[in-house]
Amino acid sequence: MHPYLITAKPGRLRRTATWVRVWTLRLLALLVMAVLGAVVLTVRCARPIVNYTASRLIFLELWAAQRLGRPPISGFIGAGITDEFVAEFHRARQHATTNV
């Protein structure tokens, strides 16, 4: 509690408004955390489905490219992106400081 003078002590209405404000913010923070947790859980649960769907679509594209006689476009794009991620990962590991 704050050390108020007797004459400066806030009234019941102001203390009630402060209490309502504090608990509203606490509940809002709890709601935000719960929503973010639900989103993360949904994304993590959907990840195997997304991976399976992506692999099936890659095979479908390879089949279509074979039938049409054209090169698979996403294979080139995906390989380039993967190579860049691997290079960045190794670059970050090589330049990381070790505190051993």
Side-chain angles (χ1 to χ4, degrees), residues 30 52 74 82 86:
L30 182 65
Y52 177 77
S74 68
T82 302
V86 168

Side-chain angles (χ1 to χ4, degrees), residues 48-90:
I49 298 168
V50 170
N51 288 343
Y52 177 77
T53 305
S55 63
R56 292 291 111 199
L57 289 175
I58 288 170
F59 285 126
L60 179 65
E61 185 197 9
L62 290 174
W63 174 81
Q66 199 175 34
R67 295 284 179 234
L68 294 174
R70 294 183 180 162
I73 303 293
S74 68
F76 297 133
I77 296 171
I81 292 173
T82 302
D83 291 341
E84 184 58 34
F85 279 134
V86 168
E88 181 67 28
F89 175 72
H90 288 301

Side-chain angles (χ1 to χ4, degrees), residues 6 8 10-11 32 46 100:
I6 294 174
V32 167
V100 177

